Amino acid sequence: MSDAHGEWPLKRLMTEVCGSGPKSAEDMSREQAAEAFERILDGEPDATTLGAFWLANRWKRNNGEELGAYVDVMREESVQTAEPDADPVDCGANYDGKGRSALLGVAAGVVAAAAGTPVVVHSGDHVPTQKQDAYKHVLDALDVRTDLSPEESAEMVDDVGFGFYYQPNFNPVVHALWDRRDQMGVRTFVNTVETLGNPANANVYLGSFYHLAFAKKIVDTVQESERAGFSRVLMFQGMEGYDDVRPGSTTVAEWSEGDELEDFTVETPEHGMDFESDDLAVEDVAADSATITTEVLAGERDDQFADAVALNAALRIYAREDADSIREGLDLARDAIADGSAEDVLADLQSF
């Protein structure tokens, strides 16, 4: 029986479509998935039913059509965009953060901005399930404003070349699910789709994966979505699932609209990254990452962290096609550090 949302309450979806277990569950249609997330964002489902639905989706694994529908509903019902004049790279790292290794995306984004590639990052505040340090916490430790309206975030991008969008302010309805997500104890599809919120209406998305299959799923999601807005995606194997390149032989997935997904390998030792992931470990992710950021951008470090920041900046420059290769992007990144322009961008960011 239909209601204001349609014909598919979550309980019915669980019983008739997606709740019978990982082997026998069926995928939802685009319309069913969209209706389900509309109901969730409206706060309609019983807490038990909502938890069961999230867990069923985790067991059966969402396909690109379902995820694309979720993204479209989120963009329609929750995301408040503010588009800068610049056309930035959107860095959509996992909002639940990192707990063991330095978070280098702020430093890398600032270096990329200094080299002429505007960058946008976004995160929440200790998002479930890991509730670890994300972009916001490194920026807070650097004394950079983070509690910004979307309009202020867009202004930051245009003034500085690097901008931060804060989830409670640009994606408030999804943020309101925090308590329910925390009670789950495991990640849900919301952890995936919130990284695709694209508050700056960027054309280029940069993200990370543990396995190449996840990169394909994200590209499928972007293609299935009518509102995500991305025409190019670059993803790589990231440390702790974050958008910091993992040392060693690292797979990069690349897609542009009209083309097939391609992948290639970056041998990080060939780019001055001849060390192991453990060499990027820190004790306090936010505070230590802020210190590393300041010292690298000031030219005070010539170690594994400086090399890692330059390489991660190169991926951002290459993602926007401001360099024809990772090596060319690396040269631009190192020049931006050496001539002091990266340190100047950080100072501008702190005074914004």
Side-chain angles (χ1 to χ4, degrees):
M1 187 173 181
S2 63
D3 58 24
H5 288 284
E7 299 180 351
W8 290 96
L10 264 61
K11 183 178 178 181
R12 183 184 177 195
L13 282 172
M14 289 291 295
T15 302
E16 299 184 23
V17 183
C18 63
S20 59
K23 293 184 179 180
S24 59
E26 297 179 6
D27 292 326
M28 292 173 285
S29 68
R30 178 185 181 84
E31 292 74 18
Q32 288 170 330
E35 182 181 327
F37 205 28
E38 288 172 357
R39 291 175 182 273
I40 291 170
L41 294 184
D42 282 351
E44 180 209 76
D46 173 84
T48 301
T49 307
L50 175 59
F53 181 78
W54 273 338
L55 195 58
N57 275 251
R58 180 181 173 88
W59 282 343
K60 83 169 193 65
R61 300 183 181 181
N62 288 122
N63 61 25
E65 183 178 29
E66 292 167 324
L67 291 170
Y70 295 151
V71 169
D72 287 351
V73 170
M74 178 182 69
R75 290 269 291 174
E76 174 70 20
E77 302 290 338
S78 181
V79 173
Q80 300 174 17
T81 63
E83 185 173 337
D85 292 331
D87 184 15
V89 175
D90 179 284
C91 296
N94 291 333
Y95 281 17
D96 56 358
K98 299 179 75 175
R100 302 184 303 275
S101 58
L103 196 157
L104 303 175
V106 173
V110 168
V111 170
T117 298
V119 169
V120 158
V121 302
H122 41 94
S123 79
D125 190 355
H126 295 128
V127 169
T129 56
Q130 293 185 147
K131 295 190 282 188
Q132 294 176 330
D133 289 336
Y135 274 119
K136 172 182 169 40
H137 309 105
V138 177
L139 290 165
D140 285 342
L142 286 165
D143 293 323
V144 174
R145 289 179 61 205
T146 56
D147 191 2
L148 302 165
S149 70
E151 292 74 21
E152 289 174 315
S153 299
E155 183 182 350
M156 177 185 280
V157 180
D158 286 329
D159 285 359
V160 180
F162 176 101
F164 173 74
Y165 287 72
Y166 187 32
Q167 185 191 42
N169 296 341
F170 82 83
N171 201 353
V173 186
V174 166
H175 172 68
L177 296 171
W178 196 101
D179 288 339
R180 293 266 60 84
R181 294 168 66 185
D182 190 36
Q183 291 300 317
M184 282 296 297
V186 295
R187 300 176 91 245
T188 74
F189 65 74
V190 181
N191 290 81
T192 299
V193 300
E194 68 188 348
T195 67
L196 298 170
N198 195 12
N201 288 331
N203 291 311
V204 180
Y205 175 79
L206 181 140
S208 69
F209 57 85
Y210 282 114
H211 303 292
L212 186 60
F214 184 75
K216 183 180 186 307
K217 182 174 290 189
I218 292 299
V219 169
D220 288 345
T221 300
V222 169
Q223 291 176 306
E224 291 286 350
S225 171
E226 298 174 356
R227 296 179 180 274
F230 298 116
S231 59
R232 178 168 165 77
V233 173
L234 192 82
M235 301 185 71
F236 51 77
Q237 288 172 306
M239 295 182 64
E240 300 185 60
Y242 220 75
D243 59 0
D244 297 314
V245 175
R246 189 176 66 189
S249 181
T250 296
T251 300
V252 179
E254 181 177 7
W255 171 82
S256 294
E257 194 169 29
D259 297 334
E260 296 295 321
L261 177 68
E262 297 182 354
D263 62 270
F264 59 92
T265 300
V266 173
E267 304 296 333
T268 56
E270 296 178 3
H271 297 285
M273 206 171 176
D274 193 11
F275 44 86
E276 304 297 326
S277 295
D278 288 346
D279 296 320
L280 298 176
V282 293
E283 292 185 6
D284 185 324
V285 171
D288 293 346
S289 298
T291 299
I292 290 165
T293 296
T294 301
E295 293 174 351
V296 168
L297 300 188
E300 297 173 358
R301 298 186 79 121
D302 184 18
D303 58 5
Q304 72 273 23
F305 290 108
D307 286 337
V309 167
L311 184 59
N312 279 284
L315 266 292
R316 286 149 174 79
I317 296 167
Y318 176 76
R320 193 172 176 267
E321 300 180 289
D322 292 330
D324 293 331
S325 66
I326 305 299
R327 189 171 298 279
E328 181 184 342
L330 188 57
D331 290 339
L332 293 171
R334 285 179 168 154
D335 288 346
I337 296 172
D339 67 14
S341 57
E343 186 178 24
D344 290 342
V345 170
L346 178 60
D348 291 342
L349 189 61
Q350 290 170 320
S351 64
F352 177 81

